[in-house]
Amino acid sequence: MRARTLGLALGVSLLAAAPVVAQQGTSEIGGKVTDQQGAVLPGVAIVVTNEDTGVFREVVSGPDGSYFVSQIIPGRYRISAKLEGFRSLDRRGILIAVGRTQTLDLTLDVGALAETVTVTGDTALVDLSSTEVGGHISAQELAALPAGNRSYMAFVGNVPGAVFVPTTGFLNDTMLANGQPAAANNVAFDGSTNIDDLRGSNVGGQARAANETIQEVQVITNQFDAEYGRASGAVINAVTKSGSNQISGSAFDFLTGKQVTAKDYFTRVDNRPKPDVGKTEWGATVGGPIVHNKLFFFGSLERVTQSRNQSRTFADRPEFSYSNTDDVAAWNTFWRVDHQVNASNTWAFRHLRESAPQFNVITDNETELSSDDETDLDQTMVGTWTTVVSNTKVNGVRFGGTFESTVHSNPLARALEGSYARCGPCDRGILTGQAQLPPRLRYLSLDIQADDTANFSLDNAYSLEDTFSWFIPDRLGRHETKFGAKYTHIWISNPNNGEANGTYLFGHNLVFNPTDPRTYPERLNIRVPGMLDYELNSNVWEIYAQDKWQVKNGLTLSLGVRYDLEVMPIKEEGNPLFTDPNGYPVDKNNLAPRLGLVWNPDGQGKSVVRAGYGLFYDRTLLGTVDDFLFATKYSNSFTASFPQNAPDPGPSRGQFPTDPTLNTPTVSQLTPAVRAYINSQYPAGTVRRNTGTVIWDDPERTQPYFHQISAGYEREVLPGFSVSADYVRMMGRDMFLNPDLNIGSRINTTRTGQIQYRDPFGILNPSLAPGEPSYLSVVRLITTKYGYTDYDALNLSVEKRYGNLWSLRGAYSLGYSRGVAAAQAGIGGEARLQVGTNLNLDAYEAPADVDRRHSAAISGRMEIPKTRGVTVSGMLRILSGTPFTIQDTNIDADQNGVLFDPLPAGTYSGTAAGSLQNVENNGGRNGARGPGFMQLDMRIGYRARLGSRRTLDVFGEAFNVTNHVNFTNPSGDRRNTADFLRLAGLVATSGLPRQAQLGVRLGF
């Protein structure tokens, strides 16, 4: 039983309370109205007006002089306050950030109502009402700072506790937070969920919002309030621009090419010609009024075409070394309409669409012929209706939808028919045609000949939520309460015929020679009996209540409770752990209390001490549980291995293999004899005993959760200049770590030794029917009984708001993430040191795969004085390396049938050219550290002010100014002498070599 008794009791006691931030995608403002002597003023008529749109909200201050306006669109506002006997107050230029409650006290002077006191000035940097750890990225930063990929995710790493992750995927950069994998974030678009339900946020959001459409990005890395959930990483909310009372917008163009791009490391070292690198990115935005002060529109169009350099060398097979480019592009469109129907009702609708075909994409050990591709169509839509119920009550309704239709394929499959060449969506024939391709040849260091990718990714999600805000003044202090509920229905389908062409596995890098037994493959993997096709539905309910209770001036308590319920109907057929196949697990014990304290010690709103504790439940990725539908004891689609038990020992002994699928005169095709043999074992269209991996659900599977504890201090040391420090601790529990219920015992310590499966838990054999053969392969249990992680970090930040022609932002994190759980499924979710029933968790505990002890980012921009528009900006990122394991897969030291046995502590060196020397290894899993990451980007430009709000920016950018080579971690497998500790891979496949770019932007 999980230790949540205290949390449950606290949650029940706080059912009507929780910490308040604005409804996702909106903001709030509130404060107290007093006279010059500090006496409170009730009955003050206050109008809060968006300076760009004229959309307004009216409230009246309460008996204690307090006022509060909730669920307003982020932006720049004007506040007017009027009371008979006092001069009117007109406060302008109040910037309200997304997701924040802006505290703004108002003071009225005695005088005639007709007299007006006008005040203009920035709001405070320090948030006096929230325990959240994170930050905001403004549209000005997105437009003014250099970024080679033009993705807002590149800027998120400037927030303390966040680490930017450049990926090989086109426009699919993401981030890490709290020492958790990239999939653990919750990405939102105008407050509505924008996530890949199958894989999480590994590739950022489901649909990419172009930089020019974004008004602001909110990033919360820790202590997000009860309104937010289903994430163990960060909450990232991109809020889009809206139209205003003036026609405004932008037009932009960026371009770069081969002439201004340096050779990447391997192209330079191998003296190969520079590939034809290039990129063009152009587009425009426009917004304005349809009806002045009431109805507005905004739209954008962006076109990107790019050829990114990618290269790799293969020491044992240099004929496959390459230096080329991919072929990627995108059409991105966005439109939005906002309407204030009357003083009490407003609605808005947004639609985002991106089509992004990506070809010749090479990753990991792939070569040019084994590349893959993706034609991706993503869409997100959000509709909102906000109603002012009364002076103190506001209700908001939001409908959201995300839609993905993606084809993952490869060049040889695309060549089968002309209509397949660049299709997306495609006819299913492109999947069934995968079986006609030659097999992939997987050597120790490289994949050649073909690729195994062939699947569709279909994901539709619909959500409906309601948020009710209620401001309660003068009840033992002020209460800003909020209650919300959300329902989401998700449907996914993943038709998959991957590996229908087969993969020959080699224990070496030698060229195949039919007369030389050492060059033969030692195993064949192939999908049988047919293509996988399935559908999975999921229903998610979320309920929360929260209260920001200002006990007295300068002291606020944040109290909240949240409840999440995931229901994924799965028929647990063939799983003996379930007495009822319809009795799929539903974790109902997910009450998450939140408690925070915010104290302003100086009483001037310049500093804040914040601390908080909360329970935070992660989401269960549908890619974790969909295996239960098809990786069953009997299945019509699975991956079979020949030989089934272990690799054929012949080739490694200099003997011909004995398995009939391997003892073949050619590996360029599966010969008719090989195909006939496979079909005899697994006739097409049948349901057969699954001789591959069987995956079972655990009846006691629950949702992973985290304890979060934080304490911090922030101070505005100078006007517009703040510094902060926060300590963060996270303890992940009930996390996925998935044992093998049929873990084997190898007869010796050799890699090819036979494995005996003996049902160590005593579950499998008793479940068999009379005469039914025993399980002779892995039976993976997907469970949350064993997994845990811990994370500690010190986050430091400095922020100088733009003023006096310059701004600055810096963030540094000293963190340590460790534990036994690395991913919900796949290799990262396996207990690879398991022996029998012993998972050996003490030995398996190690630094997390994503652990970076040091992470630093600094960015800034300035206009050089007396130059009439010359601007300079830059961004620097420095990251320490991530861990990897030094091992030798020639040896199965613990004889558990899993080739994962870390080598002892010591100093290790590679023997191949370009290998690391004297690498310190602490022993065990993830005992060594790989290379770090460093990149400096700069921009210099000129801004011409053309009058009437029009500007023209012309600038040149240089990315990775120092041309620092950024490597991925080397192979830690001593068996592969060609690659052991050799720096063989580059970050994002190219290492991001120095590149210049020219840009022009017209703003109006």
Side-chain angles (χ1 to χ4, degrees):
M1 182 176 182
R2 288 171 286 173
R4 302 183 207 170
T5 305
L6 176 61
L8 179 61
L10 180 60
V12 171
S13 68
L14 302 178
L15 185 58
V20 167
V21 295
Q23 182 185 8
Q24 296 183 24
T26 62
S27 307
E28 298 172 339
I29 187 170
K32 182 173 289 189
V33 188
T34 62
D35 63 17
Q36 290 175 301
Q37 284 70 46
V40 299
L41 296 177
V44 178
I46 298 171
V47 180
V48 179
T49 306
N50 187 298
E51 290 186 336
D52 293 322
T53 64
V55 172
F56 64 93
R57 189 77 63 79
E58 298 174 324
V59 295
V60 177
S61 62
D64 63 347
S66 60
Y67 74 97
F68 189 69
V69 179
S70 63
Q71 299 191 36
I72 57 177
I73 295 173
R76 191 171 296 275
Y77 281 81
R78 170 183 179 180
I79 294 184
S80 66
K82 296 182 179 181
L83 182 65
E84 191 67 39
F86 293 85
R87 295 177 179 174
S88 299
L89 176 66
D90 186 10
R91 183 75 183 264
R92 303 184 181 185
I94 302 165
L95 186 63
I96 306 178
V98 60
R100 286 187 64 171
T101 298
Q102 185 65 56
T103 300
L104 185 67
D105 293 333
L106 306 176
T107 301
L108 300 187
D109 299 337
V110 174
L113 183 62
E115 299 180 69
T116 301
V117 178
T118 301
V119 180
T120 301
D122 285 328
T123 51
L125 268 177
V126 177
D127 189 344
L128 302 178
S129 61
S130 176
T131 61
E132 292 171 347
V133 180
H136 295 75
I137 308 296
S138 68
Q140 291 74 28
E141 289 178 272
L142 295 178
L145 294 176
N149 51 9
R150 294 273 296 163
S151 164
Y152 72 83
M153 281 291 179
F155 301 90
V156 167
N158 295 343
V159 172
V163 177
F164 168 61
V165 181
T167 68
T168 56
F170 176 52
L171 302 174
N172 282 339
D173 300 299
T174 185
M175 62 157 287
L176 306 175
N178 300 329
Q180 299 303 305
N185 300 317
N186 192 347
V187 182
F189 170 76
D190 276 331
S192 185
T193 301
N194 181 28
I195 205 77
D196 186 323
D197 299 291
L198 194 69
R199 305 172 186 87
S201 55
N202 277 318
V203 293
Q206 180 72 286
R208 179 187 67 95
N211 282 3
E212 288 286 339
T213 69
I214 295 175
Q215 175 177 314
E216 188 178 3
V217 181
Q218 177 192 22
V219 185
I220 313 173
T221 58
N222 201 269
Q223 289 302 330
F224 39 90
D225 294 317
E227 183 173 359
Y228 303 94
R230 295 174 56 72
S232 57
V235 172
I236 307 160
N237 187 15
V239 176
T240 59
K241 297 174 182 176
S242 62
S244 65
N245 277 324
Q246 290 185 311
I247 296 292
S248 61
S250 63
F252 54 91
D253 194 3
F254 300 85
L255 59 97
T256 186
K258 176 180 179 179
Q259 294 77 13
V260 292
T261 302
K263 286 186 175 182
D264 64 65
Y265 177 79
F266 292 123
T267 302
R268 186 174 72 248
V269 168
D270 293 349
N271 197 29
R272 292 196 292 269
K274 187 190 297 184
D276 292 324
V277 177
K279 182 183 81 168
T280 60
E281 179 180 358
W282 56 267
T285 68
V286 63
I290 300 173
V291 178
H292 197 72
N293 284 342
K294 291 184 70 69
L295 183 61
F296 311 92
F297 75 94
F298 181 86
S300 73
L301 168 70
E302 182 181 78
R303 173 63 170 169
V304 181
T305 60
Q306 189 171 5
S307 299
R308 304 175 300 174
N309 55 302
Q310 46 190 9
S311 69
R312 185 150 185 156
T313 61
F314 300 100
D316 278 5
R317 302 291 294 274
E319 69 272 25
F320 290 103
S321 298
Y322 62 87
S323 180
N324 61 20
T325 64
D326 59 11
D327 174 14
V328 294
W331 282 105
N332 186 288
T333 58
F334 169 75
W335 61 271
R336 169 175 176 161
V337 176
D338 295 78
H339 183 205
Q340 177 156 12
V341 180
N342 51 44
S344 299
N345 291 279
T346 60
W347 64 264
F349 185 84
R350 305 89 158 167
H351 182 265
L352 173 65
R353 182 184 189 274
E354 182 166 79
S355 173
Q358 304 153 53
F359 299 99
N360 194 38
V361 178
I362 306 177
T363 59
D364 301 324
N365 291 338
E366 294 176 342
T367 56
E368 291 180 290
L369 288 179
S370 63
S371 67
D372 50 44
D373 58 59
E374 175 180 330
T375 49
D376 198 5
L377 176 60
D378 294 311
Q379 299 181 76
T380 298
M381 63 181 182
V382 184
T384 58
W385 185 285
T386 303
T387 300
V388 179
V389 180
S390 70
N391 185 55
T392 58
K393 302 180 182 70
V394 178
N395 192 75
V397 178
R398 176 185 284 115
F399 168 79
T402 59
F403 313 95
E404 178 189 24
S405 177
T406 300
V407 178
H408 298 102
S409 189
N410 60 82
L412 295 182
R414 295 274 181 185
L416 290 174
E417 287 192 19
S419 61
Y420 297 162
R422 300 183 76 87
C423 64
C426 297
D427 185 276
R428 286 203 174 204
I430 197 173
L431 299 185
T432 57
Q434 183 71 20
Q436 304 174 35
L437 305 185
R440 177 176 59 169
L441 308 184
R442 169 154 285 182
Y443 290 89
L444 267 183
S445 300
L446 72 165
D447 297 346
I448 65 172
Q449 186 166 276
D451 188 65
D452 68 330
T453 305
N455 68 79
F456 295 165
S457 184
L458 309 174
D459 180 357
N460 295 336
Y462 303 87
S463 63
L464 181 64
E465 59 184 299
D466 186 87
T467 301
F468 181 73
S469 303
W470 184 8
F471 176 59
I472 306 174
D474 202 21
R475 291 291 188 274
L476 298 177
R478 288 161 37 192
H479 300 264
E480 299 161 14
T481 65
K482 185 173 291 186
F483 309 89
K486 180 178 180 179
Y487 168 73
T488 304
H489 176 75
I490 305 165
W491 171 87
I492 65 168
S493 180
N494 189 207
N496 193 334
N497 207 28
E499 218 156 34
N501 57 325
T503 295
Y504 274 124
L505 304 175
F506 297 80
H508 52 77
N509 289 323
L510 301 174
V511 179
F512 178 75
N513 180 351
T515 65
D516 185 352
R518 298 176 305 125
T519 68
Y520 272 66
E522 59 184 22
R523 208 166 198 180
L524 171 68
N525 291 340
I526 188 168
R527 181 174 294 278
V528 293
M531 186 174 77
L532 171 66
D533 201 354
Y534 73 92
E535 296 182 0
L536 175 62
N537 290 279
S538 175
N539 299 290
V540 180
W541 285 266
E542 305 168 56
I543 305 172
Y544 69 89
Q546 55 190 35
D547 178 23
K548 186 188 302 179
W549 175 19
Q550 186 174 344
V551 180
K552 61 179 182 179
N553 285 339
L555 179 63
T556 299
L557 293 180
S558 292
L559 309 170
V561 65
R562 178 184 176 88
Y563 181 76
D564 295 307
L565 180 66
E566 296 178 338
V567 179
M568 291 165 279
I570 296 173
K571 201 167 185 65
E572 309 280 0
E573 292 183 315
N575 185 341
L577 300 178
F578 288 82
T579 55
D580 178 5
N582 294 312
Y584 51 85
V586 177
D587 183 10
K588 300 179 180 179
N589 183 21
N590 297 328
L591 199 63
R594 315 277 170 89
L595 173 65
L597 179 147
V598 185
W599 174 45
N600 172 219
D602 61 18
Q604 304 298 316
K606 299 296 183 181
S607 62
V608 65
V609 176
R610 55 192 176 219
Y613 163 80
L615 275 180
F616 297 79
Y617 284 87
D618 206 353
R619 72 177 66 233
T620 302
L621 300 178
L622 298 189
T624 301
V625 300
D626 62 349
D627 288 324
F628 307 148
L629 299 174
F630 49 83
T632 48
K633 181 167 65 171
Y634 293 92
S635 177
N636 62 4
S637 186
F638 56 92
T639 299
S641 296
F642 300 87
Q644 190 272 328
N645 184 275
D648 192 305
S652 62
R653 299 172 181 173
Q655 302 169 354
F656 287 107
T658 58
D659 190 279
T661 66
L662 307 178
N663 195 349
T664 174
T666 180
V667 291
S668 62
Q669 287 286 348
L670 294 183
T671 66
V674 170
R675 279 288 184 187
Y677 177 75
I678 294 172
N679 291 337
S680 70
Q681 302 295 308
Y682 304 97
T686 62
V687 175
R688 307 293 287 184
R689 181 67 179 266
N690 183 354
T691 59
T693 298
V694 174
I695 300 179
W696 281 354
D697 198 0
D698 182 359
E700 300 177 358
R701 173 174 54 84
T702 59
Q703 275 185 250
Y705 70 99
F706 290 78
H707 297 277
Q708 284 189 12
I709 303 169
S710 70
Y713 176 76
E714 183 176 5
R715 180 170 179 80
E716 188 171 2
V717 293
L718 295 170
F721 188 92
S722 69
V723 296
S724 69
D726 290 275
Y727 166 72
V728 172
R729 177 167 176 77
M730 287 185 57
M731 297 170 285
R733 300 297 182 262
D734 283 8
M735 302 189 71
F736 287 92
L737 187 68
N738 309 317
D740 182 359
L741 297 181
N742 202 30
I743 189 76
S745 176
R746 202 183 294 272
I747 61 173
N748 53 39
T749 60
T750 66
R751 179 176 57 84
T752 59
Q754 290 290 295
I755 302 171
Q756 298 174 338
Y757 294 99
R758 295 176 174 170
D759 184 20
F761 291 88
I763 297 173
L764 308 179
N765 291 336
S767 70
L768 298 172
E772 191 176 22
S774 299
Y775 288 87
L776 294 176
S777 62
V778 172
V779 178
R780 184 72 57 196
L781 178 67
I782 305 300
T783 182
T784 53
K785 290 178 179 176
Y786 308 108
Y788 63 88
T789 63
D790 291 294
Y791 173 72
D792 293 274
L794 175 64
N795 297 332
L796 307 176
S797 72
V798 57
E799 180 178 356
K800 162 65 172 66
R801 176 185 285 161
Y802 190 80
N804 297 322
L805 302 182
W806 70 286
S807 69
L808 177 72
R809 183 192 294 271
Y812 169 77
S813 292
L814 173 64
Y816 181 33
S817 180
R818 67 276 185 196
V820 299
Q824 292 191 6
I827 291 178
E830 296 176 6
R832 289 180 285 170
L833 293 180
Q834 175 186 353
V835 176
T837 59
N838 186 355
L839 302 190
N840 287 307
L841 296 183
D842 290 341
Y844 202 63
E845 183 174 326
D849 294 346
V850 298
D851 178 54
R852 292 188 188 267
R853 297 297 170 84
H854 305 278
S855 170
I858 185 169
S859 63
R861 56 191 173 108
M862 70 174 298
E863 181 175 329
I864 300 176
K866 300 181 180 180
T867 62
R868 297 186 178 180
V870 177
T871 59
V872 178
S873 63
M875 188 183 311
L876 173 66
R877 299 187 191 91
I878 302 176
L879 310 173
S880 60
T882 54
F884 67 99
T885 302
I886 292 181
Q887 58 181 319
D888 189 337
T889 59
N890 253 329
I891 303 169
D892 186 1
D894 55 13
Q895 297 179 240
N896 68 345
V898 180
L899 295 176
F900 182 81
D901 294 277
L903 292 174
T907 301
Y908 293 82
S909 298
T911 58
S915 298
L916 296 175
Q917 303 296 305
N918 301 316
V919 175
E920 294 293 333
N921 177 35
N922 294 325
R925 185 172 70 91
N926 284 345
R929 290 270 169 179
F933 178 92
M934 194 277 281
Q935 182 169 331
L936 171 65
D937 301 333
M938 296 293 296
R939 172 193 284 189
I940 184 168
Y942 176 75
R943 166 165 286 189
R945 293 174 173 83
L946 307 179
S948 186
R949 294 174 43 137
R950 290 176 297 163
T951 59
L952 178 65
D953 290 281
V954 181
F955 46 85
E957 298 175 310
F959 311 117
N960 196 3
V961 172
T962 64
N963 205 29
H964 181 80
V965 182
N966 292 301
F967 293 100
T968 58
N969 280 354
S971 168
D973 186 2
R974 192 168 61 181
R975 169 187 167 204
N976 185 359
T977 56
D979 281 338
F980 178 57
L981 297 181
R982 184 172 79 92
L983 295 174
L986 298 171
V987 171
T989 317
S990 69
L992 308 172
R994 181 171 53 233
Q995 183 178 64
Q997 176 172 274
L998 179 65
V1000 59
R1001 182 182 186 275
L1002 173 67
F1004 61 92

